């Protein structure tokens, strides 16, 4: 700090994170999804602490974080027509007291009780007139531990962007650091409807040269009609696959949908996932997906309703090094989850090939390509396209976590369990690797997964099948453990 200040460098400045003045088109579509309660884009993170953090320090840490990342002080300013991309503006009525809550865990204090409490917090809608996030300290866990549950709108960031932000806001030491940067509080911003509409119009005018270039490129391509036709046909065949129009039918067992979210948490040593990936010459993500789909296979068998495949969606990061942190930089990959394959090795290889194909689909980025047009549609119209997510039985993501010890207000973060939104699918599975542990959070639709205890047992067994592929005489098979 002092070295930077003496050299004339302003170190007391906010992070370079989520600092765009308005939403991207993709962020906008996620924001407008809240028009339908079933499509709410609430993302959640449950952190388990080794002790109760000091409340005053925790409040001060949040106040500091809201200056380091001013997005946490900003609310969404939308057009009166609910069209175009909204702006972000520092809320003149920002009240940290509203966003931070403190409760004591009731019941038996178990992990199941904690997850039940978090379910209720997650299902409560965020206030669209305030910065879209809330944080709750939950005390009273066994052995003097505590938990912190944060929920925010997906329009703020994708999973990778969230980890990039948390890595910079969490402390590397248990002790207070008085020398950390202290940027000033951002000034409140008032954006009028006219300002917003003027900005939206300017953006559309700015896109004209690009659209003209695209048109000219298309005209020039006609000079080579065979090549142009080949590209067009490949892209045209890819669009239905990326849009989920040729996905396998959803499982009849998982067909029902509701507004009920149900959380489950699991953990697995990251070394075991790596060993299984090495043994199968696949990626860790392939092994993770094979474990999940193995759980679905066993669940269908136990329920007496076996199927050959289920529709699965995975996010594909299109984030580039030059992209700003925060916001959403994702595309969607479609898989036919091979639930009917009992052999775990064959299942991993099948998934590996499907993921490879999905990542290289010519139309993989069509959602981002069309988003600038879709962002002009009102939420009620956008929801007509929600079938592309509600037809999925499983959506699964895997996000690299923070690879070093982190602390919050004197408490060590032992685990970080992520819970993604449930946009009409039967289950959202998310894994974050924290301190050598794969922390898996499942958000299930209570009407789709009707026996959550049985599913948990099946998931443990499904991962056991895959992790056993790396076992030998010197290394016993790895184990997925349910956190209860």
């Amino acid at each position: 700090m002092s070295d930077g200040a003496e050299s004339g460098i302003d170190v007391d400045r906010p992070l370079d994170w989520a600092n765009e003045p308005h939403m991207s088109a993709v962020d906008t579509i996620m924001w407008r999804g809240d028009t339908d309660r079933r499509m709410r884009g609430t993302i959640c993170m449950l952190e388990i602490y080794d002790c109760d953090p000091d409340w005053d320090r925790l409040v001060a840490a949040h106040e500091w974080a809201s200056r380091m990342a001013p997005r946490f002080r900003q609310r969404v300013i939308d057009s009166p027509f609910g069209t175009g991309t909204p702006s972000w503006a520092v809320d003149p009525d920002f009240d940290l007291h509203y966003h931070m809550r403190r409760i004591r865990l009731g019941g038996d204090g178990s992990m199941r009780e904690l997850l039940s409490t978090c379910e209720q917090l997650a299902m409560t809608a965020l206030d669209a007139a305030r910065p879209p996030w809330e944080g709750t300290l939950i005390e009273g866990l066994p052995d003097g531990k505590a938990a912190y549950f944060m929920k925010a709108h997906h329009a703020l960031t994708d999973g990778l962007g969230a980890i990039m932000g948390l890595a910079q806001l969490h402390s590397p030491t248990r002790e207070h650091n008085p020398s950390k940067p202290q940027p000033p509080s951002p000034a409140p911003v008032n954006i009028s409807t006219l300002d917003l509409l003027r900005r939206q119009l300017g953006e559309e005018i700015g896109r004209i040269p690009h659209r003209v270039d695209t048109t000219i490129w298309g005209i020039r391509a006609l000079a080579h009609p065979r090549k142009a036709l080949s590209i067009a046909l490949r892209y045209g065949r890819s669009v239905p696959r990326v849009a989920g129009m040729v996905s396998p039918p959803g499982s009849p067992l998982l067909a029902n949908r509701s507004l009920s979210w149900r959380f489950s948490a699991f953990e697995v040593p990251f070394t075991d996932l790596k060993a299984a990936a090495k043994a199968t010459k696949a990626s860790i993500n392939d092994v993770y997906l094979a474990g999940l789909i193995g759980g679905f296979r066993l669940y269908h068998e136990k329920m007496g309703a076996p199927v050959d495949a289920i529709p699965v969606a995975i996010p594909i990061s299109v984030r580039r090094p030059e992209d700003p942190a925060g916001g959403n930089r994702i595309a969607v990959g479609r898989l036919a989850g091979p639930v009917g394959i009992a052999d775990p090795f064959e299942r991993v290889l099948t998934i590996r090939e499907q993921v490879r194909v999905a990542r290289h689909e010519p139309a993989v980025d069509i959602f981002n390509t069309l988003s600038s047009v879709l962002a002009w549609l009102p939420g009620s119209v956008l929801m007509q396209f929600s079938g592309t997510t509600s037809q999925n039985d499983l959506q699964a993501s895997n996000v690299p976590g923070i690879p070093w010890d982190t602390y919050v207000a004197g408490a060590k973060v032992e685990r970080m369990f992520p819970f993604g939104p449930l946009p009409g699918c039967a289950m959202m599975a998310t894994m974050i690797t924290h301190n050598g542990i794969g922390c898996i959070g499942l958000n299930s639709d209570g009407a789709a997964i009707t026996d959550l205890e049985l599913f948990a047992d099946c998931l443990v067994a499904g991962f056991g099948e895959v992790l056993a592929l790396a076992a030998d005489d010197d290394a016993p098979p790895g184990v997925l453990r349910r956190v209860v």
Side-chain angles (χ1 to χ4, degrees), residues 192-212:
S192 69
T193 299
L194 184 59
D195 292 334
L196 180 66
L197 295 175
R198 187 184 295 116
R199 190 265 300 165
Q200 291 178 338
L201 179 60
E203 289 176 350
E204 288 304 303
I205 292 175
R207 291 190 179 102
I208 291 176
H210 171 71
R211 289 170 179 165
V212 170

Side-chain angles (χ1 to χ4, degrees), residues 28 32 78-79 82-86 199-200 375-377:
T28 300
R32 300 260 164 75
D78 210 345
S79 78
T83 57
T85 56
R199 190 265 300 165
Q200 291 178 338
W376 282 95
L377 300 178

Side-chain angles (χ1 to χ4, degrees), residues 29-107:
I29 293 170
M30 292 184 171
W31 178 256
R32 300 260 164 75
D34 282 14
T35 302
D36 186 337
R37 292 192 300 169
R38 299 168 301 171
M39 304 296 289
R40 281 180 185 155
T42 305
I43 57 175
C44 307
M45 176 74 79
L46 175 63
E47 297 185 337
I48 307 297
Y49 297 157
D50 69 344
C51 64
D52 285 337
D54 181 89
W55 175 250
D56 291 337
R57 274 185 68 182
L58 186 64
V59 172
H62 279 71
E63 194 279 332
W64 171 79
S66 73
R67 289 184 282 116
M68 288 295 291
R71 180 69 88 228
F72 291 110
R73 290 184 179 231
Q74 295 174 343
R75 62 192 178 107
V76 178
I77 309 296
D78 210 345
S79 78
F81 313 109
T83 57
T85 56
S87 290
W88 291 100
V90 174
D91 186 359
D93 299 315
F94 176 71
D95 182 9
L96 188 60
H97 177 67
Y98 170 83
H99 293 275
M100 289 192 65
R101 294 95 190 275
R102 184 184 190 184
I103 63 175
R104 192 162 191 85
L105 188 62

Side-chain angles (χ1 to χ4, degrees), residues 13 59 114 177 195 234 241 358 378-379 394 401 406 415 429 439:
R13 60 180 180 270
V59 172
L114 173 62
N177 176 17
D195 292 334
R234 284 202 304 271
R241 294 194 294 268
L394 171 64
T406 57
R415 297 287 187 271
C439 301

Side-chain angles (χ1 to χ4, degrees), residues 431-452:
M431 180 171 73
I432 286 179
T433 306
H434 182 72
N435 275 346
I437 299 294
C439 301
I440 302 174
L442 301 185
N443 184 5
S444 309
D445 189 311
I449 308 294
T450 55
D451 192 335
L452 199 55

Side-chain angles (χ1 to χ4, degrees), residues 40-45 126 149-159 162 261 419-421:
R40 281 180 185 155
T42 305
I43 57 175
C44 307
M45 176 74 79
L126 291 158
F149 184 74
M150 183 175 188
K151 69 176 187 177
H153 202 282
H154 211 323
L156 275 170
T157 182
D158 57 23
W261 290 12
F419 298 96

Side-chain angles (χ1 to χ4, degrees), residues 332-346:
V332 178
R334 306 283 181 177
L335 311 180
V339 178
I341 297 179
D343 185 329
F345 183 73
E346 182 183 353

